[in-house]
């Protein structure tokens, strides 16, 4: 793999041992993918979750002098202060990873947004920018919706990219690898972000990898929340880092552009039956509900507003807890706009900077039954011992008010 004099210097340790280690990782990834050379990036997003392995890796770079060379945002862990402020005790052993992660992020110069949808507010790439983004929903969004270029970075390679300021040139960074190869005819009715979650999950599961090209949706003008949901699930049930929607996404103004003039390798059709089957596959049976969780990926302002609208002048059933996970900036906006107050008065919480897949939820809800609108929550079923029923947002709120569904 060709390296410039400057890059050879990084590898040799001229900018310190941490950068040399990061460069060694970048070169190994590049050689594995037959990359000819490196290319500079303009921004990055890391997705460390506070686990021992995350802190070990961050410490390995930070304690050897590495520092972000480009603006770099980060994923959520959990908001210890908020949990304690509402009477939920957090044991010291759970606070340590959060505290240490914050300190390591400071040392590395990471912008502490603690949010898994940075492309909506804090870290928005422009068309054509080369970036290093980890996080399931982030890579499809920046590639497909923004028209920026990122491979599906692991959180380690995203941080390595940030401290070297470059990535190996391969995969989705190259024109020829950004063309669609699977035609997806959408015959299903897509009413809101829940249906986009189901669509993404169904297609990701069916195709596994590749670049799906959606047709039949051009009259819908999908919202940012819907596109976030679509990409999150494509990258959860499958390993899809990019998609096109003909007439909507910037590299697919028509079918010819989406496929680069080639014929699709495969064609699939998704109907309402497929969406319902996907929901049934992932969802627990209806019944009594102990908690409601929204925000995987983090809810944006429109989604928070919708929760507030559905909860206005209502009271959540005693014994049921309702959580909306979002960024601290969206929570602050919700406070200013009165939505936080409405949700709190109904008995619900908005918690910022917190991920679904965290120890705090396991301690609170292991063995209990939750309801959510995101198929991604299935991560937490076997992993955290939580059981989820999967329903549309309005049905989840109904369940919160009645105590079940
Ligand atoms: Fe975000 Fe955590 Fe879900 S990072 S997408 S809330 S698993």
């Amino acid at each position: 793999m060709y390296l410039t004099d400057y890059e050879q210097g990084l590898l040799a340790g001229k900018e310190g041992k941490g950068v040399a280690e990061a460069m060694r990782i970048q070169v190994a990834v590049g050689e594995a993918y037959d990359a000819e050379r490196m290319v500079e990036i303009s921004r990055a997003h890391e997705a460390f979750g506070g686990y021992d392995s995350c802190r070990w890796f961050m410490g390995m770079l930070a304690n050897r002098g590495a520092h972000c060379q480009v603006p770099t945002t980060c994923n959520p862990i959990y908001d210890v202060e908020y949990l304690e402020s509402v009477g939920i005790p957090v044991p010291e052993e759970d606070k340590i990873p959060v505290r240490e992660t914050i300190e390591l992020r400071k040392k590395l110069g990471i912008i502490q947004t603690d949010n898994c949808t940075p492309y909506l507010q804090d870290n928005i790439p422009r068309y054509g920018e080369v970036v290093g983004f980890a996080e399931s929903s982030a890579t499809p969004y920046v590639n497909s919706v923004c028209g920026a270029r990122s491979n599906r970075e692991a959180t380690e390679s995203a941080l390595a990219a940030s401290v070297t300021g470059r990535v190996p040139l391969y995969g989705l960074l190259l024109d020829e690898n950004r063309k669609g190869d699977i035609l997806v005819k959408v015959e299903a009715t897509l009413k809101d972000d829940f249906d986009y979650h189901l669509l993404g999950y169904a297609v990701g599961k069916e195709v596994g990898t590749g670049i799906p090209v959606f047709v039949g949706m051009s009259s819908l003008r999908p919202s940012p929340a819907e596109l976030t949901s679509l990409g999150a699930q494509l990258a959860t049930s499958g390993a899809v880092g990019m998609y096109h929607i003909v007439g909507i996404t910037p590299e697919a103004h028509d079918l010819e552009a989406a496929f680069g003039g080639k014929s699709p390798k495969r064609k699939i059709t998704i109907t309402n039956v497929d969406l319902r089957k996907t929901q049934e596959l992932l969802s627990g049976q209806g019944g009594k509900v102990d908690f409601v969780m929204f925000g995987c990926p983090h809810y944006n302002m429109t989604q928070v507003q919708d929760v507030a609208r559905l909860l206005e002048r209502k009271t959540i059933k005693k014994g049921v807890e309702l959580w909306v996970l979002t960024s601290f900036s969206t929570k602050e906006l919700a406070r200013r706009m009165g939505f936080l107050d409405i949700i709190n008065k109904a008995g619900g919480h908005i918690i910022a900077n917190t991920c679904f897949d965290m120890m705090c939820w396991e301690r609170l809800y292991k063995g209990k039954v939750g309801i959510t609108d995101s198929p991604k929550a299935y991560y937490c079923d076997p992993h955290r011992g939580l059981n989820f029923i999967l329903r549309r947002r309005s049905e989840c709120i109904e369940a919160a008010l009645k105590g079940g569904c």
Side-chain angles (χ1 to χ4, degrees), residues 152 204-205 207-210 233-242:
R152 296 182 75 231
K205 189 164 185 303
V207 305
T209 56
Q233 307 306 336
L234 282 168
T236 296
S237 61
V240 174
M242 181 171 184

Side-chain angles (χ1 to χ4, degrees), residues 47 75-76 115-117 135-137 232 295-298 325 354-358 374 376-377 379-380:
N75 253 26
N115 159 274
C116 53
T117 55
E135 178 51 33
S136 60
S137 74
C296 181
H298 275 175
L325 279 53
T354 301
C355 168
F356 249 59
D357 185 19
M358 281 291 144
S374 171
K376 256 198 95 169
Y379 273 174
C380 308

Side-chain angles (χ1 to χ4, degrees), residues 1 3 7-8 10-13 16-32 38 56-57 60-61 64 160-161 163-164 168:
M1 181 177 177
L3 297 180
E7 287 162 352
Q8 287 184 29
L10 297 184
L11 192 58
K17 287 184 179 166
V19 175
E21 197 58 49
M23 197 62 187
R24 209 167 62 79
I25 294 167
Q26 298 287 81
V27 170
V29 171
E31 287 180 346
M38 295 279 180
W56 175 83
F57 188 88
M60 192 262 294
L61 296 190
R64 295 175 184 181
V163 303
T164 62

